[in-house]
Amino acid sequence: MKPFGYLRARSTAEAVRESSAHPGAGFLGGGTNLVDLMKLGVETPDLLIDISRLPLDQVGDTDNGGLRIGATVRNSDLAAHPAVRTRYPVLSQALLSGASGQLRNTATTGGNLLQRTRCPYFQDTSKPCNKREPGTGCPALEGAHRDLAVLGHSEHCVATHPSDMAVALSALDATVQLHGPDGERTVPATEFHRLPGDTPHRDTEIRAGELITEVVLPPRPDGAGSLYRKARDRASFAFALASVAAVLGVRDGRIEHAALAFGGLAHRPWRAYAAEEALRGAPATGETFERAVDAELAAARPLRDNAFKVGLARSLAVDALAELAADS
Amino acid sequence: MDPSRGRDDGAQQPGATGDRSTLTLHINGTEQTLTLDHRTTVLDALREDLGLTGAKKGCDHGQCGACTVIVDGRRANSCLLLAVAHDGARITTVEGLADGDRLHPVQEAFLDRDALQCGYCTPGQICSAVGMLGEAADGFPSHVTTRTAPVSAPAPLDAPEIRERMSGNLCRCGAYPRIVEAIEDVAP
């Protein structure tokens, strides 16, 4: 690991100021991904600005019945929070389906959003990777890409975003609050992560010096239920091959509200707008669910070894919607 | 000892931008003040600087759980914790679980059930189990907790719950059945 300086930020303003003054600096939250990537030589900050003790560790109601989640709230605390379990079960379930008990106790909300892909080429500095070193190429296109993207990828990058939490936040229409050198701004969770295009080194829309301070959930749509389903290579402690976050509201047999997002399929949580369009106003039946999910997955462009993900995602989504409809 | 490691008075306090800082860790109830390279993990500080070799270095990437210790009441992978960021933390390692000559109930259960083969993962398994029992008592749900389970009540621990909650600890000997039995013995 490369030597680095360490600074414990006493305020958000100080953290942002120091980050802007040191272009090689990185923010340290729980460190579960960052420290690992530093050991691998993938991340090489020359200064760590520790933001883990800033007063950003609270979960609280917003004025309109939503929920405000501080950036340093630990994943395990968020998953166990009564408001999350009762009003946003999809978020609790997504968090609990990721990582291990130890990692969830350490990892933060902001850090979960900013974790990097687990593409094996990205994590191996002896290999080319356009995300790690722009312009060097993407060996995953022809190489070990069984776990990688089937939607929204480019000839430059086929990585997937590894977060489960972010998939739930996408389906919940959360917003991400950023504090930067030019002040504060809000980015919808659905637009926070990027598609790779020809700039795969940029995972998100975050700008230099910006710090995530909180994530805000809007009020739960009236009567809507939500859940998270995930398929992986072992029963626990593994990244998603495919996952789905679903929010569904049904009245008198018709779908009033539908939000669907896929994980493990793309460079960002894949909000399924085409499926939602097909769901809204339609009868809450298995036939509707299949037609809607197929409308979304028609855009899939599997690689040589990962076409199985499309069928897997289809089954997860159709089952999730059927379960929510049965509960409503 | 590597001269770049260990106790000395020449380093700057945390908040400095040098390569080293002086920090205090409360390990098993004993205050330890150390001057460490910022790259030092809690695991390396325990093993290399404090001679506490109970926590093991398995994968060193947070994937195996052999390094599990309890930090401020919650289990964590000490291989991923930078010591400098944990200045002031209260850390319990497997060496600190027993009360004098009386083993912790989880340690006793591992002996009673012979819940190990080579033993390399055992300190991490035991610290993880102690932390996990605390989480369940505090009402933390798991991936297999039923959706209708009461919120904020202690989570009941049957074998599927124990397996899910202990999935961050690998045992390459495959002693899992006995590990689950040992934890079931202690679970409320």
Side-chain angles (χ1 to χ4, degrees):
Chain A
M1 201 189 293
K2 205 181 83 173
F4 56 88
Y6 172 86
L7 192 97
R8 188 172 297 143
R10 287 161 294 188
S11 69
T12 298
E14 184 189 37
V16 169
R17 193 170 59 243
E18 292 294 338
S19 174
S20 302
H22 297 94
F27 292 122
L28 175 68
T32 53
N33 189 213
L34 178 59
V35 173
D36 191 24
L37 291 172
M38 288 166 68
K39 290 183 182 193
L40 294 168
V42 173
E43 297 276 9
T44 54
D46 49 32
L47 172 67
L48 282 187
I49 301 168
D50 185 351
I51 55 102
S52 66
R53 300 188 196 205
L54 294 182
L56 301 172
D57 60 346
Q58 299 296 310
V59 178
D61 289 324
T62 63
D63 293 340
N64 67 352
L67 203 65
R68 190 180 294 285
I69 302 160
T72 64
V73 172
R74 307 290 166 167
N75 287 178
S76 52
D77 290 324
L78 185 58
H81 196 282
V84 176
R85 287 181 73 184
T86 53
R87 282 148 58 189
Y88 307 97
V90 62
L91 176 56
S92 179
Q93 292 165 19
L95 285 159
L96 294 171
S97 76
S100 66
Q102 290 96 316
L103 290 168
R104 290 190 296 270
N105 281 343
T106 307
T108 63
T109 307
N112 189 313
L113 284 172
L114 293 175
Q115 64 179 307
R116 311 297 308 271
T117 184
R118 267 48 171 208
C119 174
Y121 302 99
F122 173 75
Q123 294 191 289
D124 180 349
T125 57
S126 74
K127 301 290 187 295
C129 170
N130 286 327
K131 183 181 282 298
R132 202 182 58 247
E133 285 181 73
T136 55
C138 176
L141 278 170
E142 298 298 328
H145 56 226
R146 171 185 175 273
D147 297 345
L148 301 180
V150 297
L151 284 164
H153 48 77
S154 73
E155 61 184 314
H156 304 287
C157 181
V158 295
T160 49
H161 195 264
S163 173
D164 294 294
M165 182 194 81
V167 182
L169 294 182
S170 175
L172 289 169
D173 284 308
T175 55
V176 181
Q177 191 71 20
L178 300 168
H179 194 120
D182 301 323
E184 294 187 54
R185 65 186 181 115
T186 303
V187 178
T190 50
E191 294 166 26
F192 182 74
H193 294 98
R194 303 174 73 254
L195 290 180
D198 57 6
T199 53
H201 58 287
R202 291 185 57 209
D203 290 354
T204 72
E205 294 294 343
I206 206 161
R207 297 174 192 150
E210 277 187 324
L211 176 69
I212 299 175
T213 52
E214 63 183 12
V215 169
V216 179
L217 303 181
R220 175 178 57 164
D222 272 346
S226 70
L227 62 77
Y228 192 74
R229 283 281 181 85
K230 174 175 175 177
R232 40 189 163 172
D233 277 331
R234 59 185 184 190
S236 183
F237 195 15
F239 291 97
L241 295 167
S243 70
V244 65
V247 185
L248 192 74
V250 177
R251 186 191 293 255
D252 300 331
R254 295 220 162 248
I255 297 165
E256 277 197 329
H257 177 91
L260 198 66
F262 288 107
L265 302 188
H267 196 261
R268 67 178 182 201
W270 188 268
R271 184 69 183 264
Y273 292 113
E276 292 172 17
E277 181 70 32
L279 290 167
R280 243 171 255 127
T285 63
E287 194 271 330
T288 297
F289 300 147
E290 290 179 7
R291 187 167 44 81
V293 173
D294 285 342
E296 188 66 45
L297 294 175
R301 290 181 294 125
L303 306 169
R304 182 192 64 231
D305 293 333
N306 68 1
F308 74 99
K309 283 191 168 199
V310 180
L312 194 57
R314 181 182 192 273
S315 299
L316 289 171
V318 170
D319 282 0
L321 292 167
E323 184 172 335
L324 287 170
D327 286 352
S328 65
Chain B
M1 183 186 268
D2 176 343
S4 72
R5 307 188 66 91
R7 298 169 179 82
D8 72 45
D9 298 315
Q12 296 159 293
Q13 295 296 320
T17 51
D19 295 342
R20 297 158 63 75
S21 292
T22 298
L23 56 115
T24 299
L25 301 173
H26 302 268
I27 312 286
N28 301 327
T30 302
E31 185 176 300
Q32 304 277 2
T33 297
L34 301 165
T35 296
L36 298 172
D37 187 302
H38 292 155
R39 293 172 289 185
T40 311
T41 60
V42 169
L43 177 63
D44 285 338
L46 290 171
R47 294 181 56 85
E48 307 294 334
D49 296 291
L50 297 170
L52 292 170
T53 55
K56 296 293 186 281
K57 185 176 282 195
C59 70
D60 209 24
H61 290 282
Q63 296 172 5
C64 78
C67 67
T68 302
V69 299
I70 298 168
V71 181
D72 295 328
R74 296 282 178 219
R75 59 185 167 153
N77 300 110
S78 63
C79 74
L80 293 179
L81 306 178
L82 294 174
V84 64
H86 290 80
D87 184 20
R90 295 179 186 282
I91 295 172
T92 303
T93 70
V94 72
E95 291 94 340
L97 288 176
D99 179 8
D101 288 338
R102 202 173 66 209
L103 292 179
H104 187 282
V106 174
Q107 293 174 306
E108 287 285 2
F110 268 63
L111 284 175
D112 291 347
R113 290 285 182 173
D114 196 18
L116 59 136
Q117 289 182 49
C118 84
Y120 192 81
C121 73
T122 308
Q125 298 278 1
I126 289 175
C127 285
S128 185
V130 171
M132 181 274 277
L133 291 165
E135 292 162 13
D138 288 346
F140 277 31
S142 85
H143 173 63
V144 301
T145 305
T146 56
R147 288 200 277 138
T148 52
V151 170
S152 303
L157 292 175
D158 56 12
E161 280 278 6
I162 291 169
R163 280 195 286 269
E164 164 60 28
R165 290 169 189 262
M166 291 295 292
S167 70
N169 292 83
L170 304 188
C171 169
R172 294 296 75 172
C173 301
Y176 298 114
R178 298 276 176 94
I179 292 170
V180 173
E181 287 170 10
I183 298 171
E184 279 186 294
D185 288 347
V186 184

